[in-house]
Amino acid sequence: MRVLLVEDDPKQLMPLQMALSQAGHSVDGVKDGETAQWLLLEKEYDLLVLDWMLPRVNGVTLCRQFRAAGKTAPVLMITARDTTPEKVTGLDAGADDYLVKPIDLVEFMARVRALRRRSPLWQGDTLSLKDLHLHLDTLTVERQGASVSLSSREFQLLEYFMRHPRQVLTRHQIEQAVWEWGTEPESNAMTVLVRKLRHRLQAVGAADWIESIYGMGYRLTPPETHES
């Protein structure tokens, strides 16, 4: 998933961002609500993790604006505010879950997994397309009894492809989905990453599922003969 994590305390932001990244998610971590507002206009996210108390624009306002814009991605509110009326305020603003600080990383990741399961694309910890299965809990891809491990970036790329099958995805779209905000991938980074992913997919007989579309980008096309 692509996650927007908004937390103004670096001591909180860093471990949360690291835990999400190690679990195979692409994470944009920012420290203020104004930057988050801009990112929400520029990018699509699968999950928002919002601290309540933020500089410039607080998390509750961000959540209300996100819902008012018709966005449906799950929102996890994290905050030191622990009274019942405050929890009600956060949930009524549109949050799907509410986690009180200090945050236990194990519980935090369990909440993230639970929110991800609400996506109709995922069945538990597995995303499937035809007979290709991507397992989030192990960062592996499996097909017809064979499996291979992926790096975090390879996993993010394959997940993005599988969420948009048969669509031509431009290099810009892929960069936006896979690389974190503020990073500048090398000019050949995507070519190298796709080559590595194809090499991994050879182990499960699916390397040719990824097509290069000249002058545009790439497309994941599963064979029509495979069962859904």
Side-chain angles (χ1 to χ4, degrees), residues 18-55:
M18 185 175 297
L20 288 166
S21 298
Q22 289 177 343
H25 303 298
S26 178
V27 187
D28 290 337
V30 298
K31 299 176 183 176
D32 68 88
E34 195 171 69
T35 303
Q37 271 184 325
W38 179 80
L39 282 172
L40 289 171
L41 293 174
E42 295 292 318
K43 295 175 174 288
E44 292 293 330
Y45 290 96
D46 305 302
L47 172 67
L48 275 61
V49 180
L50 304 177
D51 186 19
W52 183 319
M53 300 300 294
L54 293 168

Side-chain angles (χ1 to χ4, degrees), residues 125-185:
D125 289 325
T126 302
L127 175 64
S128 298
L129 177 65
K130 299 287 185 175
D131 58 355
L132 191 70
H133 307 290
L134 189 63
H135 300 290
L136 181 61
D137 54 343
T138 56
L139 299 190
T140 59
V141 60
E142 175 262 330
R143 179 171 178 253
Q144 298 179 350
S147 66
V148 64
S149 297
L150 304 176
S151 70
S152 177
R153 189 83 76 190
E154 292 162 354
F155 183 93
Q156 292 163 14
L157 177 59
L158 183 56
E159 179 190 359
Y160 187 58
F161 277 141
M162 291 177 68
R163 291 164 64 104
H164 302 85
R166 304 177 188 85
Q167 296 180 30
V168 177
L169 301 173
T170 66
R171 287 177 168 267
H172 177 70
Q173 286 176 307
I174 296 171
E175 283 184 0
Q176 292 283 307
V178 176
W179 273 270
E180 292 78 14
W181 172 69
T183 60
E184 292 289 339

Side-chain angles (χ1 to χ4, degrees), residues 54-75:
L54 293 168
R56 301 187 183 95
V57 182
N58 68 48
V60 170
T61 299
L62 279 174
C63 189
R64 288 195 179 111
Q65 292 174 344
F66 186 68
R67 295 302 184 216
K71 304 288 187 178
T72 58
V75 175

